[in-house]
């Protein structure tokens, strides 16, 4: 590790902060992980993890055991402060920067000359500049970057995380990083920091372009998923198998349509495009419409189930999957949860839920007497309608005989030729 950066504090120990802390610690840097969640701090200090991500548990256990990683609720002096806190949206899809502001306020008292602050949270354009202004107001004894040719006491850069849940440890090290410093010196110092633990390229730019780049990447994906989702609705009405259609169209060398599904979940793609819409409401018509198309998909699935259910003698349905995508345990903003919740309120007699990655139903579903978490075999043998909401690998081997005499609504296309699409 470079002499400059012997100790790093990571503010926010979630899906990005904790893996980053563990990787840095295992590359020989002293890491202090800071989180307001006392339970998470205790779990980590005991060498365990509070989130599920392949191989993260082993990495954290070793980092804690060797003393290179510790978790705490209070920020301490460091060389680098890396902010990885959530940036959800509030009513009206306006970005909520309160966690970023709270992180800045917690760092300010311990900040020293030559420190480097890096923001990784997804943020609206201009947030990195705001951090400099907020810090200036809190610490008038230090200088912060104001214009691109400054040489301030403290450097500040934006470097968005780009890792995919389920592949975080691999992508953290191997992905290219976009680094936008408030000055060139800020970018250069951030590059030196990242080069100590990543093998991907560091692409240097200014902070506003880097902020927009992150929003653009996730909006690009949202718009493309919306195209697939819209196609699935059109195909449903016109009795065309959307999966076969996409497979054929994708044989064109310049066409690459994504997969339709029950909607877009997670805390990134369903959120970040709104930051662009909020900043340029009149110009971002396509981005807004894509959000609306994807957000409307769960209700389309529900309508389909409610139509199908009228023909079921005992009204027993099996919902396969609750997480927001395959092979993870993350239920945040999951369209599958939204669909099961809405179905539960519609008085359906029995809803069997299969989610191999959880041990009990989330409270908002557990309170319904008509919703039960069961194993796959039980759900398949006891239900009349099969609603596939997530393409977990556990569901890919369902046998034809287990589908006999069932109505099937396959929102993920895992049964392809065997079902009628979404
Ligand atoms: N989905 C579809 N059809 C598809 C692909 C995805 O319906 O063809 C759905 C998924 O089921 C899920 C949602 O979209 O509900 C989002 O899943 P995802 O795998 O596309 O993305 P995330 O949210 O897990 O991670 C994204 C990634 N961004 C991009 O691929 C541009 C990741 O690289 C980012 O780091 C992450 O957002 C983030 O933190 O911003």
């Amino acid at each position: 590790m470079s002499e400059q950066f012997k100790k790093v504090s990571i503010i926010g120990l979630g899906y990005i902060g904790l893996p980053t802390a563990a990787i840095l610690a295992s590359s020989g840097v002293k890491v202090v992980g800071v989180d307001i969640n006392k339970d998470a701090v205790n779990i980590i200090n005991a060498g365990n993890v509070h989130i599920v991500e392949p191989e993260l548990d082993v990495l954290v256990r070793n980092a804690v055991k060797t003393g290179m990683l510790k978790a705490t609720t209070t920020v301490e002096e460091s060389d680098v402060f890396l902010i990885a806190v959530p940036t959800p949206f509030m009513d009206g899809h306006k970005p909520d920067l309160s966690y970023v502001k709270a992180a800045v306020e917690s760092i300010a008292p311990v900040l020293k000359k030559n420190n480097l602050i890096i923001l990784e949270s997804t943020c609206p354009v201009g947030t990195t500049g705001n951090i400099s202004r907020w810090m200036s107001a809190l610490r008038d004894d230090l200088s912060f970057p104001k214009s691109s040719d400054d040489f301030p006491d403290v450097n500040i850069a934006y470097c968005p995380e780009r890792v995919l849940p389920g592949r975080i440890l691999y992508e953290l090290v191997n992905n290219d990083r976009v680094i936008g410093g408030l000055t060139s010196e800020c970018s250069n110092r951030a590059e030196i920091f990242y080069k100590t633990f990543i093998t991907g390229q560091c692409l240097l730019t200014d902070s506003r372009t880097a902020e927009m780049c992150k929003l653009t990447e996730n909006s690009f994906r949202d718009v493309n998923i919306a195209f697939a989702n819209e196609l699935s609705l059109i195909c449903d009405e016109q009795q065309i198998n959307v999966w076969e259609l996409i497979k054929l169209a994708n044989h064109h060398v310049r066409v690459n349509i994504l997969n339709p599904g029950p909607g877009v979940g997670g805390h990134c793609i369903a959120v970040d495009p709104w930051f662009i819409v909020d900043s340029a409401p009149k110009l971002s018509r396509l981005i807004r419409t894509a959000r609306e198309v994807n957000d409307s998909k769960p209700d389309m699935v529900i309508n389909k189930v409610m139509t199908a259910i009228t023909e079921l003698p005992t009204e027993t349905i099996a919902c396969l999957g609750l997480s927001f995508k395959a092979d993870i345990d993350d239920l945040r903003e999951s369209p599958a949860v939204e669909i099961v919740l809405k179905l539960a309120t519609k008085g359906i007699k029995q809803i069997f839920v299969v989610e191999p990655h959880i041990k009990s139903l989330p409270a908002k579903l557990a309170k319904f007497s008509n919703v039960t978490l069961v194993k796959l075999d039980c759900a398949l043998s006891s239900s009349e309608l099969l609603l596939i909401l997530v393409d977990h690998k556990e569901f890919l081997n369902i046998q034809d005989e287990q589908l006999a005499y069932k109505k099937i609504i396959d929102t993920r296309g895992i049964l392809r030729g065997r079902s009628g699409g979404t």
Side-chain angles (χ1 to χ4, degrees), residues 79-239:
D79 300 310
V80 181
F81 295 92
L82 191 153
I83 302 173
V85 295
T87 46
F89 57 61
M90 306 180 283
D91 285 351
H93 299 122
K94 292 215 158 293
D96 174 2
L97 294 180
S98 58
Y99 296 100
V100 175
K101 199 145 192 217
V104 166
E105 285 162 359
S106 70
I107 295 167
V110 298
L111 209 56
K112 297 186 314 264
K113 196 172 161 97
N114 290 328
N115 278 171
L116 170 65
I117 301 172
I118 298 174
L119 176 64
E120 283 207 6
S121 311
T122 304
C123 283
V125 173
T127 307
T128 315
N130 284 337
I131 290 184
S132 182
R133 282 183 278 281
W134 294 335
M135 278 299 186
S136 290
L138 292 162
R139 289 293 302 269
D140 58 7
D141 56 322
L142 290 171
S143 63
F144 295 90
K146 286 187 189 68
S147 71
S148 56
D149 42 12
D150 274 357
F151 287 93
D153 290 336
V154 175
N155 292 118
I156 306 178
Y158 183 64
C159 180
E161 60 82 11
R162 301 164 113 183
V163 290
L164 197 72
R167 283 170 52 86
I168 291 179
L169 293 183
Y170 174 84
E171 292 205 358
L172 251 180
V173 174
N174 290 279
N175 285 1
D176 295 342
R177 301 297 296 247
V178 173
I179 297 175
L182 285 175
T183 67
S184 321
E185 180 62 10
C186 295
S187 298
N188 292 338
R189 287 191 76 206
E191 180 182 20
I192 294 170
F193 169 70
Y194 281 104
K195 279 284 176 203
T196 59
F197 69 101
I198 74 156
T199 57
Q201 281 185 63
C202 287
L203 309 159
L204 306 197
T205 181
D206 59 88
S207 62
R208 290 170 58 81
T209 308
E211 288 160 342
M212 189 62 175
C213 189
K214 170 68 189 186
L215 302 178
T216 301
E217 290 161 10
N218 280 354
S219 299
F220 170 85
R221 195 148 168 89
D222 198 44
V223 167
N224 282 280
I225 298 169
F227 180 75
N229 277 335
E230 187 165 287
L231 264 186
S232 77
L233 300 175
I234 297 167
C235 284
D236 250 9
E237 197 183 85
Q238 304 193 2
Q239 282 142 38

Side-chain angles (χ1 to χ4, degrees), residues 254 347 401:
R254 283 175 295 281
E401 50 273 23

